Amino acid sequence: MRPRLALLALWALLAPLVLAACGGDGFDDDALVIYSGRNKNLVGPLLDDMERTTGLNVQVRYGDSAELAAQIQEEGDRTRADLFFSQDAGALGALTKAGRLQPLPQPLLGRVPAEFRAKDGTWVGLSGRARVFAYDPRQVPRPPKSVFELTGPAWRGRVGWAPTNASFQAFVTGMRVTEGEARARQWLTAMKAAGTRSYDNNVLALEAVDRGEIALALINHYYWYEEVAEKGQAAVHARIAFVTGGDPGGLINVAGIGVLKGTERRAAAEKAVDFLLSREAQTHFATETKEYPLAAGVPAEKGLPPLDSLHGPDIDLSSLDSLERTLDLLKEVGLV
């Protein structure tokens, strides 16, 4: 069994025993409980600010988004979670499909463009990230316009990716949804046959481009912006190119949030969502994580192209919930 799915299965078996052994879930009775698939280092300070600003007693359980979504489904009506803060739209879509999220009020939903929230209003995007090509201009004078160009002989052994990374798997899921599974399989097979190099994560793939080990890598945009913020652009050899024209390589995924159905703290949960869509919180995403703020009127980090200029694939982001089938495909191709 794949490690990630094995972990989900193990949690399903052990969760009731663990909670029973501990004599409870460890949360205060009056706390607003957030299950967060976003890393504590990235959003912990923001959630601390939320607690101070709103006066809410906020307690957080951190973990992997897919695993937390599976945990919520296993816990069912007895879950202590009031809010699910997900790293990607797929995990939110899975909870929507399972009937675990309730619609948000229109005044909250209306602050974010329709393409970055659930069609039924059960979740709303908070920040966006675009898939890009990171490339070495010393080797690549002009970056390609589509991921489908990368299977050509000119790119053999010169491209890198991170197939075990959740953002890469969401990208492949998007390709399956928009282009069909047959074409996604064909592309993955051709890329592997062309000697595409695998890295453990986006950071390592970007670093490989920066030192000229490979010519191009498939990553999320903010890794490059974080590298530039840390080192200065003069010290970063790599450049990035945003993929437009509806190509699956230009997927724009979101981190988002939803309120659990049956919560006894609905008003507090909606107050928290309101804060996360505020200028203060949205500016945090822009300046600290280098992502796109999604609430209207909040500017992105300097140097980022406008979000509405990117034109990624036309996709309902909730449809990224079919991660398990993507993992099956990646295993069949021999990438995980």
Side-chain angles (χ1 to χ4, degrees), residues 26-280:
F27 297 116
D28 296 344
D29 290 342
D30 67 339
L32 178 73
V33 175
I34 302 175
Y35 281 16
S36 175
R38 301 229 63 183
N39 186 282
K40 184 176 182 179
N41 292 334
L42 293 178
V43 302
L46 177 62
L47 297 181
D48 290 342
D49 288 343
M50 179 174 75
E51 192 169 27
R52 287 190 291 269
T53 300
T54 63
L56 298 169
N57 176 13
V58 179
Q59 296 184 349
V60 188
R61 173 171 289 161
Y62 292 97
D64 175 85
S65 291
E67 291 162 11
L68 289 174
Q71 180 179 338
I72 288 170
Q73 293 189 58
E74 172 62 27
E75 291 172 346
D77 291 340
R78 72 177 186 279
T79 188
R80 186 60 181 82
D82 301 302
L83 286 163
F84 177 48
F85 188 0
S86 179
Q87 172 74 11
D88 71 278
L92 289 160
L95 288 186
T96 292
K97 185 180 290 185
R100 300 302 307 154
L101 301 178
Q102 59 181 294
L104 290 161
Q106 186 57 41
L108 292 178
L109 294 170
R111 289 154 71 177
V112 172
E115 62 266 36
F116 301 126
R117 49 185 164 91
K119 289 183 177 179
D120 63 359
T122 50
W123 60 264
V124 64
L126 298 176
S127 61
R129 55 192 182 276
R131 297 292 292 177
V132 297
F133 295 137
Y135 67 97
D136 179 358
R138 297 165 296 188
Q139 302 183 59
V140 183
R142 183 179 302 145
K145 296 185 180 298
S146 170
V147 291
F148 294 112
E149 295 180 39
L150 299 177
T151 59
W155 294 100
R156 186 172 184 84
R158 304 176 68 211
V159 179
W161 58 15
T164 61
N165 184 267
S167 62
F168 176 85
Q169 293 169 2
F171 148 66
V172 174
T173 303
M175 182 184 286
R176 285 182 42 249
V177 171
T178 59
E179 304 293 326
E181 185 157 328
R183 193 175 191 196
R185 178 190 296 274
Q186 182 183 42
W187 182 78
L188 290 167
T189 302
M191 290 288 287
K192 184 183 178 187
T196 302
R197 302 191 194 186
S198 292
Y199 296 88
D200 287 341
N201 54 53
N202 285 294
V203 172
L204 293 176
L206 175 58
E207 289 175 350
V209 174
D210 201 49
R211 63 176 175 265
E213 178 180 306
I214 54 176
L216 181 145
L218 308 175
I219 66 169
N220 285 340
H221 80 272
Y222 57 86
Y223 291 99
W224 184 84
Y225 282 90
E226 288 174 345
E227 188 84 351
V228 168
E230 179 183 342
K231 298 179 179 179
Q233 187 162 338
V236 178
H237 297 297
R239 296 292 181 263
I240 57 171
F242 288 81
V243 190
T244 61
D247 188 82
L251 176 71
I252 302 168
N253 201 352
V254 302
I257 199 161
V259 176
L260 271 295
K261 186 174 289 186
T263 176
E264 297 177 357
R265 288 159 286 276
R266 180 170 180 171
E270 292 176 359
K271 188 176 184 179
V273 176
D274 179 70
F275 172 83
L276 291 171
L277 290 170
S278 69
R279 175 170 287 272
E280 176 184 349

